[in-house]
Amino acid sequence: MARFAANLTMLFNEVDFLTRFEKAHDAGFKAVEFLFPYAYEPQVLADKLSQFGFEQALFNMPPGDWDAGERGFAAIPGREAEFRQSVDTALMYAQALKCKKVHAMSGLLDSQFSYQEHVDTFIENIRYAADKFAEQGVELMIEPLNSRDVPGYFVAHQREAVELIKQVDRPNVKLQFDVYHAQIMDGDLTVMIRDLADYIGHVQIASVPERHEPSEGEVNYPHVFNMLDNAGYVGWIGCEYKPRKSTEEGLDWVKPHL
């Protein structure tokens, strides 16, 4: 049975970030996720989770200079020391928020280096992070991002990500299966979910092509949810979409599931 987490970076943008916890609670959500927690002290966010009885489903490791266009650096040669420091930062937040899934952003390909150099750096960094996270029972997610929204991202295809996960060879490294990105880059969702089920550690959703409520667009989400159930997925499904109007106006699709 599908369980949905409100992505507080994308949803309830009508109010400031900390107020979004209350809005998500009032809407009926039992879990939340967001891109980055680092603008707030860990205890501030932990208190919000406790106040409203939320489970923290997921957050991302530090991405580098987001405003300058960086999208992580796990695969970027020469930034290994920075990556290791970011592991410690993310782990501190994961412990405070009791979060068991953290996404490591790979970064944009750097023309100074060969693709294989990016792969080698990625594998080394992800192994290091996975081993550190495993000590606290935390899984590390790898998410492909589509090349339309994020040109030049290190990994854009679901099966490509799984091949990298196999090379990393750590049991707590999983695929973050964002249906929005997967449909844009790969399609064939039914077969892909069936084939990759053993690797899927977290799921996110949005409509395609405009990334609005999953009740519109070209993806048959009731079918996708059934496929995930059949594949044995029991984790949270992150609602990482841009509401077409206000968040509350677009929540009719999820209310039966909350």
Short mmCIF file of all heavy atoms in Angstrom, two decimals, residues 58-119:
data_model
loop_
_atom_site.label_atom_id
_atom_site.label_comp_id
_atom_site.label_asym_id
_atom_site.label_seq_id
_atom_site.Cartn_x
_atom_site.Cartn_y
_atom_site.Cartn_z
N LEU A 58 13.76 11.34 4.06
CA LEU A 58 14.94 11.51 3.20
C LEU A 58 15.39 12.95 3.24
O LEU A 58 14.59 13.86 3.46
CB LEU A 58 14.57 11.16 1.75
CG LEU A 58 15.66 11.34 0.68
CD1 LEU A 58 16.52 10.08 0.58
CD2 LEU A 58 15.05 11.65 -0.69
N PHE A 59 16.69 13.17 3.06
CA PHE A 59 17.21 14.48 2.68
C PHE A 59 18.49 14.25 1.89
O PHE A 59 18.99 13.13 1.79
CB PHE A 59 17.44 15.39 3.90
CG PHE A 59 18.51 14.92 4.85
CD1 PHE A 59 19.85 15.21 4.66
CD2 PHE A 59 18.17 14.18 5.98
CE1 PHE A 59 20.82 14.78 5.53
CE2 PHE A 59 19.13 13.74 6.88
CZ PHE A 59 20.46 14.04 6.65
N ASN A 60 19.02 15.32 1.31
CA ASN A 60 20.21 15.24 0.47
C ASN A 60 21.47 15.63 1.24
O ASN A 60 21.43 16.51 2.11
CB ASN A 60 20.11 16.18 -0.74
CG ASN A 60 19.02 15.78 -1.70
OD1 ASN A 60 18.52 14.66 -1.67
ND2 ASN A 60 18.65 16.70 -2.57
N MET A 61 22.58 15.05 0.87
CA MET A 61 23.87 15.52 1.35
C MET A 61 24.15 16.93 0.83
O MET A 61 23.53 17.36 -0.16
CB MET A 61 24.98 14.56 0.90
CG MET A 61 24.99 13.23 1.64
SD MET A 61 26.30 12.12 1.06
CE MET A 61 27.77 13.12 1.40
N PRO A 62 25.06 17.68 1.44
CA PRO A 62 25.39 19.02 0.94
C PRO A 62 25.75 18.98 -0.55
O PRO A 62 26.50 18.11 -0.99
CB PRO A 62 26.59 19.43 1.80
CG PRO A 62 26.38 18.70 3.09
CD PRO A 62 25.79 17.37 2.68
N PRO A 63 25.22 19.95 -1.34
CA PRO A 63 25.37 19.89 -2.79
C PRO A 63 26.50 20.74 -3.36
O PRO A 63 26.65 20.81 -4.58
CB PRO A 63 24.04 20.45 -3.28
CG PRO A 63 23.74 21.53 -2.27
CD PRO A 63 24.25 21.00 -0.94
N GLY A 64 27.28 21.41 -2.50
CA GLY A 64 28.19 22.42 -3.00
C GLY A 64 27.48 23.75 -3.11
O GLY A 64 26.54 24.03 -2.37
N ASP A 65 27.91 24.56 -4.05
CA ASP A 65 27.32 25.89 -4.22
C ASP A 65 26.08 25.77 -5.12
O ASP A 65 26.15 25.92 -6.33
CB ASP A 65 28.34 26.85 -4.84
CG ASP A 65 27.89 28.30 -4.79
OD1 ASP A 65 26.67 28.55 -4.65
OD2 ASP A 65 28.74 29.20 -4.91
N TRP A 66 24.95 25.52 -4.49
CA TRP A 66 23.69 25.30 -5.22
C TRP A 66 23.31 26.51 -6.07
O TRP A 66 22.91 26.38 -7.22
CB TRP A 66 22.59 24.98 -4.22
CG TRP A 66 21.26 24.64 -4.82
CD1 TRP A 66 20.22 25.49 -5.06
CD2 TRP A 66 20.81 23.35 -5.26
NE1 TRP A 66 19.15 24.82 -5.60
CE2 TRP A 66 19.49 23.51 -5.74
CE3 TRP A 66 21.40 22.08 -5.27
CZ2 TRP A 66 18.75 22.43 -6.23
CZ3 TRP A 66 20.65 21.02 -5.77
CH2 TRP A 66 19.35 21.20 -6.24
N ASP A 67 23.43 27.70 -5.49
CA ASP A 67 23.02 28.91 -6.21
C ASP A 67 23.89 29.17 -7.44
O ASP A 67 23.45 29.83 -8.39
CB ASP A 67 23.07 30.12 -5.27
CG ASP A 67 22.00 30.05 -4.19
OD1 ASP A 67 20.99 29.35 -4.40
OD2 ASP A 67 22.18 30.68 -3.13
N ALA A 68 25.12 28.66 -7.42
CA ALA A 68 26.01 28.81 -8.57
C ALA A 68 25.84 27.69 -9.58
O ALA A 68 26.55 27.65 -10.59
CB ALA A 68 27.46 28.86 -8.10
N GLY A 69 24.91 26.78 -9.31
CA GLY A 69 24.62 25.72 -10.27
C GLY A 69 25.20 24.36 -9.93
O GLY A 69 24.98 23.40 -10.68
N GLU A 70 25.94 24.25 -8.84
CA GLU A 70 26.48 22.94 -8.48
C GLU A 70 25.35 22.02 -8.02
O GLU A 70 24.39 22.46 -7.39
CB GLU A 70 27.54 23.08 -7.38
CG GLU A 70 28.81 23.75 -7.86
CD GLU A 70 29.94 23.68 -6.86
OE1 GLU A 70 29.67 23.48 -5.65
OE2 GLU A 70 31.09 23.83 -7.29
N ARG A 71 25.52 20.75 -8.34
CA ARG A 71 24.52 19.76 -7.99
C ARG A 71 25.20 18.54 -7.37
O ARG A 71 25.04 17.41 -7.79
CB ARG A 71 23.70 19.36 -9.22
CG ARG A 71 22.83 20.48 -9.79
CD ARG A 71 21.76 20.91 -8.79
NE ARG A 71 20.89 21.96 -9.27
CZ ARG A 71 21.06 23.27 -9.02
NH1 ARG A 71 22.10 23.68 -8.30
NH2 ARG A 71 20.20 24.16 -9.48
N GLY A 72 25.98 18.81 -6.32
CA GLY A 72 26.73 17.76 -5.66
C GLY A 72 28.11 17.59 -6.27
O GLY A 72 28.45 18.22 -7.27
N PHE A 73 28.90 16.68 -5.66
CA PHE A 73 30.28 16.51 -6.13
C PHE A 73 30.82 15.12 -5.82
O PHE A 73 32.03 14.92 -5.79
CB PHE A 73 31.19 17.59 -5.53
CG PHE A 73 30.94 17.87 -4.06
CD1 PHE A 73 31.58 17.15 -3.07
CD2 PHE A 73 30.05 18.86 -3.69
CE1 PHE A 73 31.35 17.41 -1.74
CE2 PHE A 73 29.81 19.14 -2.35
CZ PHE A 73 30.46 18.39 -1.36
N ALA A 74 29.95 14.15 -5.62
CA ALA A 74 30.41 12.80 -5.32
C ALA A 74 31.26 12.20 -6.44
O ALA A 74 32.11 11.35 -6.19
CB ALA A 74 29.22 11.89 -5.02
N ALA A 75 31.03 12.65 -7.68
CA ALA A 75 31.77 12.10 -8.82
C ALA A 75 32.84 13.04 -9.36
O ALA A 75 33.42 12.77 -10.41
CB ALA A 75 30.79 11.75 -9.95
N ILE A 76 33.12 14.13 -8.64
CA ILE A 76 34.03 15.15 -9.16
C ILE A 76 35.44 14.94 -8.62
O ILE A 76 35.68 15.10 -7.42
CB ILE A 76 33.52 16.57 -8.81
CG1 ILE A 76 32.05 16.72 -9.20
CG2 ILE A 76 34.39 17.61 -9.51
CD1 ILE A 76 31.75 16.43 -10.64
N PRO A 77 36.40 14.59 -9.47
CA PRO A 77 37.77 14.42 -9.02
C PRO A 77 38.32 15.70 -8.38
O PRO A 77 38.00 16.81 -8.81
CB PRO A 77 38.53 14.09 -10.31
CG PRO A 77 37.50 13.51 -11.22
CD PRO A 77 36.24 14.28 -10.92
N GLY A 78 39.12 15.53 -7.35
CA GLY A 78 39.76 16.66 -6.67
C GLY A 78 38.97 17.21 -5.50
O GLY A 78 39.47 18.07 -4.77
N ARG A 79 37.74 16.70 -5.29
CA ARG A 79 36.91 17.22 -4.20
C ARG A 79 36.62 16.14 -3.15
O ARG A 79 35.65 16.21 -2.39
CB ARG A 79 35.61 17.80 -4.76
CG ARG A 79 35.86 18.95 -5.73
CD ARG A 79 34.61 19.59 -6.23
NE ARG A 79 33.92 20.35 -5.20
CZ ARG A 79 32.85 21.12 -5.43
NH1 ARG A 79 32.38 21.22 -6.67
NH2 ARG A 79 32.27 21.76 -4.45
N GLU A 80 37.52 15.16 -3.10
CA GLU A 80 37.31 14.04 -2.18
C GLU A 80 37.29 14.48 -0.72
O GLU A 80 36.47 14.00 0.07
CB GLU A 80 38.39 12.97 -2.41
CG GLU A 80 38.28 12.23 -3.72
CD GLU A 80 38.94 12.95 -4.89
OE1 GLU A 80 39.40 14.10 -4.71
OE2 GLU A 80 39.00 12.36 -5.99
N ALA A 81 38.19 15.39 -0.35
CA ALA A 81 38.22 15.84 1.05
C ALA A 81 36.93 16.57 1.41
O ALA A 81 36.39 16.39 2.51
CB ALA A 81 39.44 16.74 1.28
N GLU A 82 36.44 17.39 0.49
CA GLU A 82 35.18 18.10 0.72
C GLU A 82 34.03 17.12 0.83
O GLU A 82 33.13 17.29 1.67
CB GLU A 82 34.94 19.07 -0.43
CG GLU A 82 33.71 19.95 -0.27
CD GLU A 82 33.52 20.90 -1.44
OE1 GLU A 82 34.36 20.90 -2.37
OE2 GLU A 82 32.50 21.62 -1.42
N PHE A 83 34.07 16.07 0.01
CA PHE A 83 33.01 15.07 0.09
C PHE A 83 33.02 14.37 1.44
O PHE A 83 31.97 14.18 2.06
CB PHE A 83 33.16 14.04 -1.03
CG PHE A 83 32.09 12.99 -1.02
CD1 PHE A 83 30.85 13.25 -1.58
CD2 PHE A 83 32.31 11.76 -0.42
CE1 PHE A 83 29.84 12.29 -1.54
CE2 PHE A 83 31.31 10.80 -0.39
CZ PHE A 83 30.07 11.07 -0.95
N ARG A 84 34.19 14.03 1.94
CA ARG A 84 34.27 13.33 3.22
C ARG A 84 33.75 14.22 4.35
O ARG A 84 33.09 13.75 5.28
CB ARG A 84 35.68 12.85 3.48
CG ARG A 84 36.11 11.76 2.51
CD ARG A 84 37.41 11.09 2.89
NE ARG A 84 37.70 9.98 1.99
CZ ARG A 84 38.43 8.91 2.29
NH1 ARG A 84 38.98 8.81 3.50
NH2 ARG A 84 38.62 7.95 1.42
N GLN A 85 34.04 15.50 4.27
CA GLN A 85 33.51 16.42 5.26
C GLN A 85 31.99 16.48 5.17
O GLN A 85 31.29 16.54 6.19
CB GLN A 85 34.10 17.80 5.07
CG GLN A 85 33.68 18.82 6.12
CD GLN A 85 34.34 20.17 5.91
OE1 GLN A 85 34.83 20.49 4.81
NE2 GLN A 85 34.39 20.99 6.95
N SER A 86 31.46 16.45 3.95
CA SER A 86 30.01 16.50 3.78
C SER A 86 29.34 15.25 4.31
O SER A 86 28.19 15.29 4.75
CB SER A 86 29.65 16.72 2.30
OG SER A 86 29.79 15.52 1.54
N VAL A 87 30.05 14.12 4.28
CA VAL A 87 29.52 12.89 4.87
C VAL A 87 29.30 13.08 6.37
O VAL A 87 28.26 12.71 6.92
CB VAL A 87 30.47 11.71 4.60
CG1 VAL A 87 30.06 10.49 5.42
CG2 VAL A 87 30.49 11.36 3.11
N ASP A 88 30.28 13.66 7.03
CA ASP A 88 30.16 13.90 8.47
C ASP A 88 29.00 14.84 8.78
O ASP A 88 28.24 14.61 9.73
CB ASP A 88 31.46 14.49 9.02
CG ASP A 88 32.62 13.51 8.97
OD1 ASP A 88 32.36 12.30 8.91
OD2 ASP A 88 33.78 13.96 8.98
N THR A 89 28.85 15.88 7.96
CA THR A 89 27.75 16.82 8.17
C THR A 89 26.40 16.14 7.99
O THR A 89 25.49 16.27 8.83
CB THR A 89 27.87 18.00 7.19
OG1 THR A 89 29.11 18.68 7.40
CG2 THR A 89 26.71 18.99 7.37
N ALA A 90 26.26 15.39 6.91
CA ALA A 90 24.99 14.70 6.65
C ALA A 90 24.68 13.68 7.73
O ALA A 90 23.53 13.53 8.16
CB ALA A 90 25.04 14.04 5.28
N LEU A 91 25.70 12.98 8.20
CA LEU A 91 25.48 11.97 9.22
C LEU A 91 25.02 12.60 10.53
O LEU A 91 24.16 12.04 11.23
CB LEU A 91 26.76 11.17 9.43
CG LEU A 91 26.65 9.94 10.33
CD1 LEU A 91 25.56 8.99 9.85
CD2 LEU A 91 28.00 9.22 10.38
N MET A 92 25.55 13.77 10.86
CA MET A 92 25.12 14.48 12.06
C MET A 92 23.62 14.79 11.98
O MET A 92 22.87 14.58 12.94
CB MET A 92 25.91 15.78 12.23
CG MET A 92 25.47 16.63 13.41
SD MET A 92 26.43 18.15 13.57
CE MET A 92 25.93 19.03 12.07
N TYR A 93 23.16 15.27 10.82
CA TYR A 93 21.74 15.57 10.64
C TYR A 93 20.91 14.29 10.62
O TYR A 93 19.80 14.24 11.18
CB TYR A 93 21.52 16.37 9.36
CG TYR A 93 21.73 17.86 9.55
CD1 TYR A 93 23.00 18.42 9.45
CD2 TYR A 93 20.67 18.71 9.85
CE1 TYR A 93 23.21 19.79 9.64
CE2 TYR A 93 20.86 20.07 10.03
CZ TYR A 93 22.13 20.60 9.93
OH TYR A 93 22.33 21.94 10.12
N ALA A 94 21.41 13.25 9.99
CA ALA A 94 20.67 11.99 9.93
C ALA A 94 20.42 11.44 11.33
O ALA A 94 19.33 10.94 11.63
CB ALA A 94 21.42 10.97 9.08
N GLN A 95 21.42 11.54 12.18
CA GLN A 95 21.26 11.05 13.55
C GLN A 95 20.23 11.90 14.30
O GLN A 95 19.36 11.36 15.00
CB GLN A 95 22.60 11.08 14.26
CG GLN A 95 23.59 10.04 13.74
CD GLN A 95 24.98 10.22 14.31
OE1 GLN A 95 25.52 11.33 14.37
NE2 GLN A 95 25.57 9.13 14.77
N ALA A 96 20.33 13.22 14.16
CA ALA A 96 19.42 14.11 14.89
C ALA A 96 17.98 13.94 14.42
O ALA A 96 17.04 14.01 15.23
CB ALA A 96 19.86 15.56 14.71
N LEU A 97 17.79 13.71 13.12
CA LEU A 97 16.45 13.60 12.56
C LEU A 97 15.95 12.16 12.50
O LEU A 97 14.85 11.91 12.03
CB LEU A 97 16.43 14.20 11.15
CG LEU A 97 16.91 15.65 11.03
CD1 LEU A 97 16.77 16.13 9.59
CD2 LEU A 97 16.18 16.57 11.98
N LYS A 98 16.79 11.23 12.96
CA LYS A 98 16.46 9.80 12.93
C LYS A 98 16.07 9.37 11.51
O LYS A 98 15.13 8.60 11.30
CB LYS A 98 15.34 9.48 13.91
CG LYS A 98 15.71 9.81 15.36
CD LYS A 98 14.56 9.51 16.31
CE LYS A 98 14.94 9.89 17.73
NZ LYS A 98 13.81 9.66 18.68
N CYS A 99 16.81 9.90 10.55
CA CYS A 99 16.55 9.65 9.13
C CYS A 99 17.42 8.50 8.65
O CYS A 99 18.64 8.51 8.86
CB CYS A 99 16.83 10.91 8.33
SG CYS A 99 16.45 10.77 6.57
N LYS A 100 16.83 7.53 8.00
CA LYS A 100 17.53 6.33 7.59
C LYS A 100 17.89 6.29 6.11
O LYS A 100 18.44 5.30 5.63
CB LYS A 100 16.69 5.09 7.94
CG LYS A 100 16.49 4.91 9.45
CD LYS A 100 17.82 4.78 10.18
CE LYS A 100 17.64 4.53 11.67
NZ LYS A 100 18.95 4.46 12.37
N LYS A 101 17.59 7.39 5.39
CA LYS A 101 17.92 7.43 3.96
C LYS A 101 18.44 8.82 3.60
O LYS A 101 17.78 9.82 3.87
CB LYS A 101 16.69 7.09 3.11
CG LYS A 101 16.18 5.68 3.34
CD LYS A 101 14.98 5.35 2.47
CE LYS A 101 14.47 3.94 2.77
NZ LYS A 101 13.33 3.55 1.91
N VAL A 102 19.63 8.86 2.99
CA VAL A 102 20.26 10.11 2.59
C VAL A 102 20.71 9.98 1.14
O VAL A 102 21.29 8.95 0.75
CB VAL A 102 21.46 10.45 3.50
CG1 VAL A 102 22.16 11.71 3.02
CG2 VAL A 102 21.00 10.61 4.95
N HIS A 103 20.45 11.00 0.36
CA HIS A 103 20.80 11.01 -1.07
C HIS A 103 22.13 11.73 -1.28
O HIS A 103 22.28 12.88 -0.86
CB HIS A 103 19.69 11.69 -1.86
CG HIS A 103 20.04 12.01 -3.28
ND1 HIS A 103 19.61 13.15 -3.91
CD2 HIS A 103 20.80 11.35 -4.19
CE1 HIS A 103 20.08 13.17 -5.14
NE2 HIS A 103 20.80 12.09 -5.34
N ALA A 104 23.06 11.09 -1.95
CA ALA A 104 24.35 11.69 -2.31
C ALA A 104 24.27 12.19 -3.75
O ALA A 104 24.19 11.39 -4.68
CB ALA A 104 25.49 10.69 -2.16
N MET A 105 24.32 13.50 -3.95
CA MET A 105 24.26 14.06 -5.30
C MET A 105 25.61 13.89 -6.00
O MET A 105 26.67 14.19 -5.42
CB MET A 105 23.85 15.52 -5.24
CG MET A 105 22.49 15.76 -4.61
SD MET A 105 21.83 17.41 -4.93
CE MET A 105 21.34 17.23 -6.66
N SER A 106 25.56 13.45 -7.24
CA SER A 106 26.78 13.07 -7.95
C SER A 106 27.55 14.25 -8.51
O SER A 106 28.78 14.27 -8.53
CB SER A 106 26.42 12.12 -9.10
OG SER A 106 25.70 11.02 -8.63
N GLY A 107 26.83 15.25 -9.03
CA GLY A 107 27.48 16.42 -9.61
C GLY A 107 27.46 16.42 -11.13
O GLY A 107 27.14 15.42 -11.78
N LEU A 108 27.82 17.56 -11.68
CA LEU A 108 27.88 17.74 -13.13
C LEU A 108 29.25 17.33 -13.65
O LEU A 108 30.29 17.59 -13.03
CB LEU A 108 27.63 19.22 -13.48
CG LEU A 108 26.36 19.84 -12.93
CD1 LEU A 108 26.28 21.31 -13.33
CD2 LEU A 108 25.12 19.08 -13.39
N LEU A 109 29.27 16.69 -14.80
CA LEU A 109 30.52 16.27 -15.40
C LEU A 109 31.45 17.47 -15.63
O LEU A 109 31.01 18.52 -16.10
CB LEU A 109 30.26 15.56 -16.72
CG LEU A 109 29.55 14.21 -16.63
CD1 LEU A 109 29.09 13.75 -18.01
CD2 LEU A 109 30.44 13.17 -15.98
N ASP A 110 32.72 17.30 -15.29
CA ASP A 110 33.74 18.34 -15.44
C ASP A 110 34.61 17.98 -16.63
O ASP A 110 35.25 16.92 -16.65
CB ASP A 110 34.56 18.43 -14.15
CG ASP A 110 35.53 19.60 -14.15
OD1 ASP A 110 35.98 20.03 -15.23
OD2 ASP A 110 35.85 20.09 -13.04
N SER A 111 34.66 18.85 -17.63
CA SER A 111 35.38 18.56 -18.87
C SER A 111 36.89 18.40 -18.67
O SER A 111 37.58 17.92 -19.57
CB SER A 111 35.12 19.66 -19.90
OG SER A 111 35.55 20.92 -19.42
N GLN A 112 37.40 18.79 -17.51
CA GLN A 112 38.82 18.59 -17.23
C GLN A 112 39.18 17.12 -17.06
O GLN A 112 40.36 16.75 -17.14
CB GLN A 112 39.22 19.31 -15.94
CG GLN A 112 39.05 20.82 -15.94
CD GLN A 112 39.45 21.40 -14.60
OE1 GLN A 112 40.65 21.52 -14.30
NE2 GLN A 112 38.47 21.76 -13.80
N PHE A 113 38.16 16.30 -16.79
CA PHE A 113 38.41 14.91 -16.45
C PHE A 113 37.66 13.98 -17.40
O PHE A 113 36.61 14.34 -17.95
CB PHE A 113 37.97 14.62 -15.00
CG PHE A 113 38.59 15.54 -14.00
CD1 PHE A 113 37.85 16.60 -13.46
CD2 PHE A 113 39.90 15.36 -13.58
CE1 PHE A 113 38.42 17.46 -12.54
CE2 PHE A 113 40.47 16.22 -12.66
CZ PHE A 113 39.73 17.27 -12.13
N SER A 114 38.20 12.78 -17.58
CA SER A 114 37.53 11.78 -18.40
C SER A 114 36.32 11.22 -17.65
O SER A 114 36.21 11.33 -16.43
CB SER A 114 38.49 10.64 -18.74
OG SER A 114 38.79 9.88 -17.56
N TYR A 115 35.44 10.58 -18.41
CA TYR A 115 34.28 9.96 -17.78
C TYR A 115 34.72 8.90 -16.79
O TYR A 115 34.17 8.78 -15.69
CB TYR A 115 33.35 9.36 -18.83
CG TYR A 115 32.15 8.69 -18.22
CD1 TYR A 115 31.12 9.44 -17.65
CD2 TYR A 115 32.05 7.29 -18.19
CE1 TYR A 115 30.01 8.83 -17.07
CE2 TYR A 115 30.95 6.67 -17.62
CZ TYR A 115 29.95 7.45 -17.06
OH TYR A 115 28.86 6.83 -16.48
N GLN A 116 35.75 8.11 -17.16
CA GLN A 116 36.21 7.06 -16.26
C GLN A 116 36.77 7.63 -14.97
O GLN A 116 36.59 7.03 -13.90
CB GLN A 116 37.28 6.19 -16.95
CG GLN A 116 37.64 4.95 -16.15
CD GLN A 116 36.44 4.04 -15.89
OE1 GLN A 116 35.68 3.74 -16.80
NE2 GLN A 116 36.27 3.62 -14.64
N GLU A 117 37.41 8.79 -15.05
CA GLU A 117 37.88 9.43 -13.81
C GLU A 117 36.71 9.81 -12.91
O GLU A 117 36.79 9.68 -11.68
CB GLU A 117 38.73 10.66 -14.15
CG GLU A 117 40.11 10.34 -14.70
CD GLU A 117 40.87 11.59 -15.11
OE1 GLU A 117 40.35 12.36 -15.96
OE2 GLU A 117 41.98 11.81 -14.58
N HIS A 118 35.63 10.27 -13.51
CA HIS A 118 34.43 10.54 -12.72
C HIS A 118 33.89 9.26 -12.07
O HIS A 118 33.53 9.26 -10.89
CB HIS A 118 33.33 11.15 -13.60
CG HIS A 118 33.56 12.56 -14.00
ND1 HIS A 118 34.28 12.91 -15.12
CD2 HIS A 118 33.15 13.73 -13.45
CE1 HIS A 118 34.30 14.23 -15.24
NE2 HIS A 118 33.63 14.76 -14.23
N VAL A 119 33.85 8.18 -12.84
CA VAL A 119 33.35 6.91 -12.31
C VAL A 119 34.21 6.44 -11.14
O VAL A 119 33.69 6.05 -10.09
CB VAL A 119 33.32 5.83 -13.42
CG1 VAL A 119 33.05 4.45 -12.82
CG2 VAL A 119 32.28 6.18 -14.47
#
